[in-house]
């Protein structure tokens, strides 16, 4: 008996070490970036153009570029993703086509980001003649986020009780009326939560925008959607590996990493908080 | 109210049932688009890589031991070094990530108190949200110097570095899907085992993990798919020498990083350009197979438990 207790004790310690390692990894990542990045952050860093071959100045154009690209991503992936989720959860019947759609979505979410980049180069940059631009990059990221948006939106739709639909149908509403008045109003907050999580991941992606529009250095803000742009993740990549004075720009790289992480965390935090609040409301 | 409904029906220029059919059709198009995107990616990769094989021997491409598309003497396109590199880095990552990930999942599902779980799960979600380029950056400034110090290599940018980083990136996937699998084991298994006098630890190891094994394997395969397709971390942290990898402490260059490095330098519509799309096609097929396998396992597993 004693042996088994001891065995259990040791076993649980091993499991605790496992989770300890995972949390430690995260802690190290955050600690290092916050510690070395915080000193660089200033109003000037956030709002000024890069100067002197990007060894001084700020990262303003990269922030603006990331913002615009994320907007394009949202414009493509939110309506399409929600539409697909509504089809799957409200209209689709069990059958071959539905299975095919679900299988495609799961596989799309596993396609490597660099492959999306290749796809974007051929489809948007070359075939659609959008050239390397905010539009090409945003559309590429939009396709990449699509499976995440669909999955999250469907989850939100599933959480709306079936009785809501039945109630509307019972008083003579058509299917679409039932969905519009009795399903969507309750599902949309949850759909947005999941969508924001997806967008935050898109905002941090580098590989798909490498060849579809991100630029090394542009000393002015993009004027239209067909301009090339600077983006935070790409800027960090350049600062970490491609710059001619890598050691000198290390602080800027840390600052960029911190801004990128904070941006993504804010989006995540907002989304998770919304989900938490919504879940509470439902329980009450 | 009923009257107004009837009136509206008569006044509208399009009957309700037609409207409903149109709306149904509209959402169906939305749904089917994902199928077209997947087929579109595959088709564009095939069509764009096809011209490469008018100049490159398919056998040389698949089994060639050297990749040197910019050679002055003779351009060679052999993907074996990259396949080996990708495999090496991914296996290294899995060796670290699987025990840690499954252990963490077991802890979260069976040992942790609900309050601990509520805190730990969002934290792991945060880990999943850290962009790959940031992890790659830390590989250069943090993991690299440590590896260089421990093993006395000249810089720490090598396969081991890439493996460590990829392990960190694959962990959230492995943890969350394994935990789902463990939670889906019927509670009666748990109770039966405890009632027979097994300790909680014995129940976790001998009953729950075996019962959830297919789900856990699927989780690990999804993590593997993520690791194979990851670009920025390996591009930044593995040194990227395009030769056959010699050891885990040597620089390697994976499929993904080769595409990322060379596509920026190559002229559109040259053999080299097409060859890079062929690399993309190989990558697509590998990750597709890995994901499909994990999908089939998960699907089977769902059915059994129902």
């Amino acid at each position: 008996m004693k042996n088994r207790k001891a065995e259990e004790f040791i076993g649980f310690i091993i499991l605790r070490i496992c989770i300890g390692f995972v949390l430690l990894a995260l802690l190290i990542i955050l600690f290092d970036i916050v510690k070395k990045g915080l000193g660089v952050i200033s109003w000037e860093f956030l709002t000024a153009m890069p100067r002197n071959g990007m060894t001084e100045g700020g990262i303003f154009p990269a922030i603006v570029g990331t913002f615009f690209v994320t907007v394009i991503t949202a414009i493509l992936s939110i309506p399409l993703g929600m539409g697909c989720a509504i089809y799957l959860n409200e209209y689709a019947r069990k059958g071959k086509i539905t299975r095919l759609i679900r299988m495609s979505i799961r596989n799309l979410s596993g396609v490597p980001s660099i492959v999306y980049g290749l796809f974007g180069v051929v489809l948007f940059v070359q075939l659609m003649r959008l050239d390397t631009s905010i539009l090409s990059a945003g559309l590429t990221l939009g396709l990449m986020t699509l499976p995440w948006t669909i999955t999250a939106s469907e989850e939100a739709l599933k959480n709306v009780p079936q009785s809501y639909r039945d109630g509307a149908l019972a008083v003579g509403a058509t299917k679409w009326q039932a969905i519009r008045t009795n399903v969507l109003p309750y599902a949309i907050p949850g759909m947005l939560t999941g969508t924001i999580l997806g967008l935050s991941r898109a905002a941090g992606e580098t590989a798909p925008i490498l060849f579809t529009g991100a630029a090394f250095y542009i000393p002015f803000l993009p004027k239209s959607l067909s301009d090339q742009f600077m983006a935070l993740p790409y800027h960090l990549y350049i600062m970490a590996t491609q710059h001619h004075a890598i050691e000198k720009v290390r602080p800027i790289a840390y600052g960029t990493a911190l801004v990128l992480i904070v941006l993504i965390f804010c989006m995540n935090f907002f989304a998770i908080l919304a989900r938490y609040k919504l879940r509470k409301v439902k329980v009450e | 109210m009923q009257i107004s409904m009837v009136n509206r029906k008569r006044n509208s220029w399009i009957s309700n049932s037609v409207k409903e059919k149109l709306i149904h059709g509209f959402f169906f198009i939305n749904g089917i688009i994902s199928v077209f995107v997947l087929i579109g990616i595959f088709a564009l990769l095939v069509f764009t890589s096809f011209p490469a094989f008018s100049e490159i021997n398919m056998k040389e491409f698949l089994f060639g031991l050297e990749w040197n598309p910019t050679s002055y003497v003779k351009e060679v396109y052999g993907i074996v070094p990259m396949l080996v590199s990708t495999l090496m880095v991914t296996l290294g990552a899995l060796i670290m990530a699987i025990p840690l990930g499954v252990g963490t999942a077991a802890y979260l599902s069976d040992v942790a108190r609900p309050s601990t779980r509520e805190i730990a799960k969002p934290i792991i979600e945060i880990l999943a949200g850290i962009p790959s380029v940031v992890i790659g950056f830390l590989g250069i400034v943090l993991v690299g110097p440590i590896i260089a110090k421990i093993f006395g290599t000249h810089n720490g940018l090598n396969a081991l570095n890439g493996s460590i980083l990829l392990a960190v990136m694959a962990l959230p996937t492995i943890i969350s899907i394994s935990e789902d699998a463990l939670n889906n084991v019927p509670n009666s298994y748990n109770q039966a085992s405890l009632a027979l006098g097994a300790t909680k630890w014995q129940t976790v190891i001998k009953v729950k993990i075996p019962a959830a094994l297919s789900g856990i394997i699927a989780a690990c395969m999804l993590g593997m798919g993520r690791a194979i397709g990851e670009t920025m971390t390996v591009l930044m942290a593995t040194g990227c020498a395009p030769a056959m990898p010699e050891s885990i402490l040597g620089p390697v260059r994976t499929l993904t990083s080769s595409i990322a490095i060379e596509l920026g330098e190559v002229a559109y519509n040259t053999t080299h350009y097409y060859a890079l799309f062929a690399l993309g096609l190989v990558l697509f097929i590998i990750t597709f197979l890995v994901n499909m396998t994990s999908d089939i396992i998960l699907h089977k597993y769902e059915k059994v438990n129902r």
Side-chain angles (χ1 to χ4, degrees):
Chain A
M1 196 68 192
K2 216 172 198 177
N3 244 342
R4 288 174 41 200
K5 276 283 166 211
E7 187 190 80
E8 180 171 28
F9 183 72
I10 293 167
F12 282 1
I13 285 182
I14 292 173
L15 294 186
R16 284 203 178 88
I17 291 174
C18 284
I19 191 169
F21 257 112
V22 175
L23 298 182
L24 188 72
L26 182 70
L27 212 68
I28 291 172
I29 293 171
L30 295 184
F31 181 75
D32 192 58
I33 293 207
V34 172
K35 194 183 92 185
K36 295 183 183 145
L38 209 55
V40 190
I41 306 286
S42 66
W43 186 245
E44 198 216 338
F45 185 72
L46 295 176
T47 58
M49 296 286 166
R51 281 193 315 268
N52 272 349
M54 297 201 287
T55 53
E56 287 170 37
I59 54 166
F60 188 56
I63 296 177
V64 172
T66 291
F67 174 77
F68 280 130
V69 168
T70 310
V71 169
I72 300 288
T73 307
I75 290 175
L76 177 71
S77 96
I78 293 182
L80 257 184
M82 286 188 176
C84 181
I86 291 174
Y87 175 74
L88 283 176
N89 200 57
E90 307 295 329
Y91 287 97
R93 294 201 188 88
K94 273 196 176 164
K96 270 203 178 121
I97 292 183
T98 309
R99 269 225 308 277
L100 184 69
I101 294 176
R102 286 190 191 281
M103 192 205 82
S104 304
I105 294 167
R106 283 194 297 262
N107 273 303
L108 277 179
S109 68
V111 171
S113 53
I114 187 92
V115 172
Y116 278 103
L118 289 174
F119 182 63
V121 168
V122 179
L123 182 66
F124 299 126
V125 177
Q126 293 190 291
L127 289 178
M128 288 168 75
R129 299 185 185 283
L130 296 174
D131 224 338
T132 46
S133 62
I134 294 182
L135 209 54
S136 297
L139 293 176
T140 308
L141 285 176
L143 287 183
M144 194 187 74
T145 13
L146 200 57
W148 309 332
T149 319
I150 296 170
T151 317
S153 303
E154 211 195 336
E155 206 60 39
L157 286 168
K158 265 187 203 150
N159 281 338
V160 178
Q162 182 60 33
S163 58
Y164 287 30
R165 297 177 184 90
D166 296 342
L169 294 174
V171 295
T174 61
K175 188 148 192 168
W176 169 238
Q177 283 168 338
I179 294 171
R180 204 188 53 198
T181 58
N182 275 23
V183 178
L184 286 185
Y186 304 98
I188 279 182
M191 287 168 134
L192 285 179
T193 303
T195 310
I196 296 169
L197 281 176
L199 286 180
S200 78
R201 272 167 77 181
E205 270 294 344
T206 319
I209 62 173
L210 275 178
F211 311 109
T212 52
F216 197 82
Y217 172 54
I218 302 175
F220 48 81
L221 297 181
K223 290 188 189 67
S224 78
L225 292 180
S226 48
D227 283 350
Q228 290 196 327
F229 61 100
M230 291 177 74
L232 284 171
Y234 187 61
H235 192 62
L236 173 56
Y237 168 61
I238 296 294
M239 286 307 194
T241 60
Q242 309 283 301
H243 198 275
H244 58 85
I246 282 185
E247 289 305 323
K248 204 175 161 196
V249 297
R250 197 118 282 173
I252 297 186
Y254 266 109
T256 311
L258 182 59
V259 172
L260 182 60
I261 285 194
V262 168
L263 175 85
I264 285 168
F265 283 2
C266 286
M267 288 168 89
N268 274 332
F269 182 73
F270 180 71
I272 289 175
L273 191 76
R275 184 172 66 191
Y276 185 71
K277 279 257 157 85
L278 291 170
R279 202 196 286 156
K280 260 197 164 162
V281 168
K282 205 161 267 162
V283 171
E284 280 164 14
Chain B
M1 188 194 155
Q2 243 177 3
I3 294 166
S4 77
M5 278 267 280
V6 172
N7 272 343
R8 209 197 299 163
K9 211 172 189 178
R10 257 184 217 144
N11 289 340
S12 64
W13 56 277
I14 192 166
S15 86
N16 251 350
S17 69
V18 172
K19 194 173 145 198
E20 282 296 314
K21 280 214 176 97
L22 285 176
I23 291 171
H24 187 135
F26 169 75
F27 283 121
F28 175 70
I29 291 170
N30 272 303
I32 207 83
I33 276 179
S34 46
V35 181
F36 285 124
V37 174
L38 188 67
I39 295 173
I41 291 175
F42 182 68
L44 272 186
L45 285 177
V46 170
F47 282 125
T48 320
S49 54
F50 192 68
F53 295 104
S54 65
E55 283 190 33
I56 307 169
N57 185 341
M58 184 72 107
K59 209 171 137 196
E60 185 208 332
F61 180 75
L62 287 177
F63 302 106
L65 297 180
E66 195 187 345
W67 175 267
N68 190 358
T70 51
S71 162
Y72 291 110
V73 191
K74 185 187 182 300
E75 293 119 37
V76 275
Y77 300 89
I79 63 167
V80 174
M82 291 174 230
L83 283 177
V84 174
S85 300
T86 301
L87 206 72
M88 212 159 102
V89 177
T90 306
L91 276 184
L94 289 178
I95 288 171
M96 290 177 254
I98 290 178
L100 277 180
V102 176
T104 305
Y107 179 82
L108 286 176
S109 77
D110 288 280
V111 185
R113 270 167 302 188
S115 57
T116 317
R117 204 170 339 176
E118 284 291 304
I119 300 168
K121 286 189 82 170
I123 292 179
I124 290 165
E125 273 179 57
I126 290 179
L127 189 60
I130 294 178
S132 53
V133 68
V134 173
I135 307 256
F137 176 57
L138 287 174
I140 296 175
V141 294
L142 205 66
V143 183
I146 295 174
I147 291 177
K149 206 178 247 173
I150 294 176
F151 296 99
T153 52
H154 121 91
N155 69 11
L157 301 182
N158 52 28
L160 179 64
N161 194 337
S163 292
I164 293 173
L165 300 180
L166 285 185
V168 171
M169 299 206 67
L171 270 172
T173 311
I174 295 178
I175 293 173
S176 72
I177 295 176
S178 302
E179 201 209 336
D180 284 347
L182 285 168
N183 283 335
N184 277 341
V185 174
N187 203 22
S188 53
Y189 286 32
N190 201 9
Q191 287 162 345
S193 166
L194 291 176
L196 287 171
T199 61
K200 236 175 155 186
W201 167 252
Q202 286 172 322
T203 309
V204 172
I205 293 297
K206 297 205 172 126
V207 178
K208 288 200 77 172
I209 290 185
L213 196 62
S214 53
I216 291 172
I217 290 172
C220 297
M221 295 204 66
L222 279 180
M224 181 171 148
R226 244 198 115 175
I228 292 174
E230 182 46 56
T231 309
M232 296 318 288
T233 40
V234 287
L235 173 61
M236 294 165 85
T238 56
C240 292
M244 198 71 176
E246 280 159 13
S247 82
I248 189 108
L249 290 172
V252 296
R253 184 153 144 190
T254 63
L255 286 166
T256 51
S257 46
S258 297
I259 299 173
I261 292 170
E262 290 174 21
L263 195 63
E265 299 164 348
V266 73
Y268 280 1
N269 305 336
T270 55
T271 303
H272 186 187
Y273 175 81
Y274 297 133
L276 291 179
F277 277 82
L279 284 188
L281 183 63
V282 171
L283 189 62
F284 179 87
I285 291 172
I286 294 174
T287 48
F288 184 84
L289 291 178
V290 170
N291 289 324
M292 274 301 265
T293 315
S294 106
D295 202 54
I296 290 166
I297 296 171
L298 266 183
H299 217 72
K300 229 181 192 170
Y301 162 81
E302 267 171 15
K303 263 185 206 150
V304 169
N305 261 342
R306 218 168 262 160

